[in-house]
Each structure stands twice: as structure tokens, then as C-alpha cells.
Amino acid sequence: MLRKALSAATLLAILSSAAALPALAQRAPQAHGDPREAVALSPVEAEDMLAGMRTYLETIQGIVAAMAENDIDRVPPIAAKSGAKMLRDVNPVTGLKAPIGFSMMSFDTHDKFDKLAEKARAGTSRTEVLADLRDILGNCIACHASYRLAP
């Protein structure tokens, strides 16, 4: 637990120093008519990010399937797939390229998946699982409404 907190704290410190590293924190040009903030990544970084978003969707679908079958015991390992452990393989430089709000929303989403896994492990109700999924999907919607990948 302490290691996870230290890793998150270290990554947060790196991300907050983005203002001091203008070459890494450049804003991508705005798409014509698209008010969302651009996230400028290399093609490999963009594909990794999109793969992570697909993992979010697969996780949510797996949790919904478990709830539809009234099998809450399947939820913890499914939810954990989109938890903070997903960040282990992310290059910190990628985080420096993303807007701070985007990164903070990402951390929050991973944290919400971890908390959902913990609650399900402890035997929470279907109602609580659905409320947590509502909040996770709220993050997804807010992120997609606020940010876009730069061309």
C-alpha cells in the first residue's frame, strides 16, 4: 500500500513539474470547431492510451455481466484490471505530455476501479457496485468531453 502511494506521489510530482519543462508540455493545435483540449502524443503513446481505454470498456462490460448474473465474487479481479497497476508500464514522459487535468482524471479513474475491487471483495451490494460504475463512467464521459487526441 505504501509503495502504491509512493508511486502515485512520485508520478504526481513529475506531472506537476510539467510547467518547468515546456518542450514536454506543449499544447497541440486546436482542431477546427472542436473545443476539447488536445493531448499530443507520439503514435505509440496514443495507441497505448487507446488500448488502456479499451481495457476500461472491457472491465466495465465484465462487471456489468457479473452483476447481470448476480455474481459479485467475479467483480474484484475484473475491476482490478483497470486499477492503478495499469500505470506501471506507462512512461512518465507520456504523463508530462498530457494536460494536468487529464492526468488527474486518469489517476482518479484508476483509483475508482481499485476502490470498487476492494468494496466488492468486502461484500458490497449490487447497488454500490452500480453507483461506483456510474461514477467511473462519469469520469469517462467528462474526459472525452474535455480532451481529444491530437492528430
Side-chain angles (χ1 to χ4, degrees), residues 2-4 23 25-26 32 42 60 62 69 111-112 120 135 142 146:
L2 180 60
R3 188 172 139 210
K4 190 187 308 184
Q26 292 178 6
H32 182 69
S42 73
I60 292 167
E69 296 162 15
D111 186 55
K112 284 181 181 344
D135 295 344
S146 301

Side-chain angles (χ1 to χ4, degrees), residues 10-11 29 38 41 53 55 70-71 90 106-107 115 136 147 151:
T10 302
L11 193 51
L41 301 174
M53 290 179 200
T55 298
N70 202 24
D71 190 356
V90 175
S106 174
F107 290 141
K115 286 180 178 168
I136 289 167
Y147 302 100

Side-chain angles (χ1 to χ4, degrees), residues 52-103:
M53 290 179 200
R54 287 188 294 274
T55 298
Y56 283 172
L57 288 172
E58 291 165 1
T59 298
I60 292 167
Q61 190 279 331
I63 294 168
V64 169
M67 291 295 85
E69 296 162 15
N70 202 24
D71 190 356
I72 201 162
D73 292 336
R74 287 189 6 230
V75 171
I78 296 169
K81 289 179 186 176
S82 288
K85 75 177 186 176
M86 277 183 69
L87 297 172
R88 288 183 194 151
D89 297 328
V90 175
N91 184 338
V93 173
T94 302
L96 290 172
K97 291 180 177 182
I100 192 73
F102 176 92
S103 297

